[in-house]
Amino acid sequence: MIFGVVFLARTSFTVAGQRYFSLFDDSMMSMRYARNLAHGHGLAWNATGHPVEGYSNFLWTLWMAFLHLFPFPESKISLAVSVSGLALLVVNLLLVRSLVAQLAPSSPRARVIAMWLVAIYYPLAYWTLRGMEVGLLAVIGTAAALIAVRVSRSPRAGTGAVVGLGALLALGLLTRDDFIIPAIIVVAWLAWRVQPTDRFKLVAILAAFVVGTVGAHTAFRVAYYGDWLPNTYYLKLAHIGLWTRLHRGVFGLVATGELELWAPVAVAGVYLVARRRRVPPGAWLLAGLFVGACAYSAYVGGDAWESTQLANRYLASQATALLVVAAMAIDYVVSAPAAVRSRILAAVAFIAIPVVVLRAPDLIPASNMQLGRLPTEWWLTRVGTPLVVGAGLAALAWWTRPRSYVKPLAMATAIVVLVGLAMSTRELRWWGQHNAFLPDRETAVAGLALAAVTQPNAVIALAVAGGAGYFSDRPAVDLSGKSDRTVAREPPSFPVFVPGQDKQDLHYSLGKLRPDLVFSWPATQADAQIESYGYDRVAPGAYVRHDSRLVDRMGLARIATFNG
């Protein structure tokens, strides 16, 4: 909670003497939908015109709309969303404790280890505190696993527990459609674990919740938006081949694994292999949930933000499951016989070698052959961290081998620290130096500036639409197509596949829709192309239509920095 408060305080910024808060850009797009809904304009990107489903987090958007009903000023409503995310992170930790108590009832130590691993996992905190639905999905996933384990342990758990589980799966499906993957995994695992006499009833109840929720949401989508699938589905998958998506998705998984998740994956994997016949069955459910998230991420091509070198939102929402298994593994290692303990630690330490090999070729690329801070940064974060972690685990393996007894608290603490170093060292170091990764503050400030130099009915075309779209509060054209049905269904416009960021049709967005102002952050290189549609370049990244009288050109030109 202390970290969350500091994190949120550092994301604030001041404009005209007033302190503002903003969210991740995709979250700010959902916030625009939420504000329109709360103000009676419907669940839509623009208050007028046919609505388009440009969000992929229905339930979370409804929560944002609920917060907009309170008298929060525009400058603080994002903070309210982030604080609710912080509360979800705390709830998730409490659920983790209960889940581990079910899986390892005789080991209070495992509960503490699990809570610490989840608490120090930076990507989960980052995406949640930046306003994404990741924290809500983590809570729903952990709670669903907890109830599923309880139902599997008690043949007479009763219909109430199964109905509660079904309701949780329904909430997950309403939060994101792709929660269908963990929902199927939970139902399949329970069908495998329960007695044959209880199987049909259990599966029928859970299937009714899953199918009913998907059917009801689809019916609403068709009736309200006129589409069977969300607009983001067409944006990210239409006209993009499976091989293209898999190539990028698998590469993203490898990059994430070798950057931050290799240690918990290694610890959990060695534990599951070494103890495969004695592992609590619930551990296999958790492993399945994480593997399912990995498979889905690979299938859709990953996320658009792997350049941040954070685990993407799909993985972060299910990382709790992996970290719980890793905690059980650490607890087992601490209490295992000396020889077994040494072998497991040595095996995990050995896995650090291929991690270093994967990182080493990129250590000093040809474009960065200079002395100074960059090579040191790379040594510390890309190669130094796995070397330190691997050496630390190897030292523990060597030191514990001749000892039949070690102090459990000291051993557990040492392993948790090493795994934590592997998971979050680079991210926390970057956060300490540069705060959040993405320029959400700049787009929010740009939106406020655009509001100051345009009339309320001026239409703005935005390349990065979230923060600028919300804070400008003007009718907006989404150049990237997330909230535009036409652009989303077109083939990719750029040679490099980046999910949700590789489609653009200026002939349609500018030539047909004719917005008054085009704002591109960072400044685009397509000056001549934009000007050919009848626009004047007034400032870097800002263009005004020749005949528009709704934009203060002098005021726009006076805005000092559009590019950060």
Side-chain angles (χ1 to χ4, degrees):
M1 292 183 68
I2 293 172
F3 171 79
V5 170
V6 175
F7 184 100
L8 295 180
R10 295 188 70 208
T11 63
S12 67
F13 55 96
T14 302
V15 176
Q18 186 174 3
R19 186 158 297 278
Y20 278 79
F21 292 84
S22 183
L23 303 173
F24 179 69
D25 200 71
D26 284 12
S27 302
M28 294 309 300
M29 295 194 72
S30 298
M31 287 279 279
R32 183 176 166 111
Y33 278 84
R35 181 176 59 192
N36 281 335
L37 178 61
H39 292 176
H41 302 307
L43 198 55
W45 173 247
N46 287 318
T48 59
H50 188 74
V52 178
E53 188 180 3
Y55 56 87
S56 55
N57 49 1
F58 176 71
L59 189 61
W60 190 243
T61 302
L62 293 185
W63 170 250
M64 290 175 166
F66 174 73
L67 292 177
H68 275 82
L69 297 176
F70 292 88
F72 295 118
E74 182 186 65
S75 59
K76 305 299 189 299
I77 184 68
S78 295
L79 176 62
V81 176
S82 294
V83 170
S84 66
L86 178 57
L88 288 171
L89 291 174
V90 175
V91 170
N92 189 49
L93 289 181
L94 300 177
L95 290 171
V96 164
R97 182 178 64 181
S98 298
L99 176 58
V100 178
Q102 288 289 319
L103 297 173
S106 61
S107 179
R109 181 176 57 234
R111 305 171 204 174
V112 179
I113 295 172
M115 293 176 73
W116 270 108
L117 287 181
V118 175
I120 64 178
Y121 184 55
Y122 180 79
L124 176 59
Y126 174 82
W127 292 119
T128 302
L129 295 175
R130 298 306 291 141
M132 298 302 295
E133 68 281 357
V134 169
L136 178 58
L137 288 173
V139 167
I140 294 173
T142 307
L146 171 61
I147 297 179
V149 170
R150 285 177 176 171
V151 171
S152 71
R153 285 176 173 270
S154 176
R156 304 300 177 196
T159 304
V162 179
V163 170
L165 176 58
L168 277 172
L169 298 181
L171 291 176
L173 290 166
L174 290 174
T175 303
R176 283 190 67 95
D177 292 312
D178 48 33
F179 193 80
I180 189 67
I181 304 298
I184 290 174
I185 291 171
V186 168
V187 174
W189 181 83
L190 267 178
W192 168 57
R193 289 298 305 165
V194 300
Q195 297 296 325
T197 54
D198 301 322
R199 186 171 298 150
F200 176 80
K201 178 181 177 181
L202 181 145
V203 172
I205 293 174
L206 296 180
F209 273 97
V210 171
V211 175
T213 302
V214 172
H217 195 188
T218 302
F220 163 78
R221 180 178 287 131
V222 172
Y224 194 77
Y225 295 110
D227 292 316
W228 288 88
L229 296 166
N231 197 60
T232 51
Y233 169 87
Y234 301 101
L235 178 68
K236 295 183 178 182
L237 298 183
H239 302 287
I240 299 171
L242 177 61
W243 172 249
T244 300
R245 301 199 309 270
L246 285 176
H247 181 267
R248 187 185 188 281
V250 171
F251 178 83
L253 281 176
V254 173
T256 299
E258 60 96 3
L259 277 170
E260 65 183 32
L261 286 176
W262 72 268
V265 167
V267 171
V270 171
Y271 166 71
L272 291 174
V273 171
R275 297 277 296 172
R276 55 188 175 277
R277 296 183 180 179
R278 298 182 182 180
V279 168
W284 294 108
L285 168 62
L286 299 176
L289 290 172
F290 181 72
V291 171
C294 292
Y296 177 77
S297 180
Y299 171 75
V300 299
D303 206 354
W305 311 107
E306 270 87 0
S307 59
T308 63
Q309 299 185 27
L310 284 173
N312 64 36
R313 295 169 283 180
Y314 313 126
L315 298 183
S317 63
Q318 296 299 326
T320 298
L322 167 68
L323 297 176
V324 168
V325 179
M328 296 172 60
I330 294 172
D331 179 63
Y332 169 72
V333 168
V334 168
S335 57
V340 174
R341 181 170 60 238
S342 178
R343 285 197 298 268
I344 292 178
L345 290 173
V348 177
F350 181 80
I351 295 174
I353 296 175
V355 173
V356 173
V357 172
L358 282 171
R359 298 185 186 191
D362 296 330
L363 184 58
I364 306 179
S367 60
N368 289 314
M369 292 292 288
Q370 77 266 24
L371 298 175
R373 189 171 183 177
L374 184 59
T376 303
E377 174 91 4
W378 283 23
W379 270 110
L380 291 174
T381 59
R382 292 185 63 84
V383 175
T385 300
L387 281 176
V388 170
V389 173
L393 292 171
L396 286 177
W398 173 81
W399 182 75
T400 62
R401 183 174 182 82
R403 292 169 172 80
S404 59
Y405 174 78
V406 295
K407 293 183 178 180
L409 178 60
M411 175 63 68
T413 301
I415 299 175
V416 168
V417 168
L418 289 171
V419 173
L421 285 174
M423 288 196 304
S424 298
T425 295
R426 186 193 60 82
E427 293 85 349
L428 287 173
R429 186 169 183 266
W430 182 275
W431 173 75
Q433 293 176 340
H434 307 289
N435 204 4
F437 282 106
L438 299 172
D440 306 320
R441 177 184 306 183
E442 286 80 357
T443 58
V445 171
L448 293 169
L450 294 175
V453 298
T454 57
Q455 297 296 318
N457 58 335
V459 179
I460 302 175
L462 298 168
V464 182
Y470 181 85
F471 284 102
S472 66
D473 196 17
R474 298 291 185 264
V477 173
D478 181 4
L479 294 176
S480 297
K482 180 172 288 188
S483 296
D484 190 297
R485 181 179 285 102
T486 300
V487 175
R489 285 160 172 75
E490 293 183 352
S493 310
F494 303 105
V496 178
F497 168 55
V498 181
Q501 305 292 322
D502 61 349
K503 294 184 178 181
Q504 191 177 84
D505 185 353
L506 295 184
H507 180 72
Y508 165 77
S509 299
L510 305 185
K512 183 177 180 180
L513 299 182
R514 306 300 291 160
D516 296 278
L517 187 151
V518 180
F519 175 73
S520 176
W521 193 98
T524 181
Q525 300 298 317
D527 290 340
Q529 186 180 2
I530 295 176
E531 291 170 357
S532 69
Y533 291 103
Y535 288 84
D536 301 320
R537 183 177 181 270
V538 177
Y543 310 79
V544 180
R545 202 179 68 225
H546 285 328
D547 59 347
S548 177
R549 298 295 180 266
L550 302 178
V551 181
D552 177 4
R553 296 170 182 250
M554 294 294 292
L556 184 61
R558 283 195 300 267
I559 297 173
T561 46
F562 274 96
N563 293 316

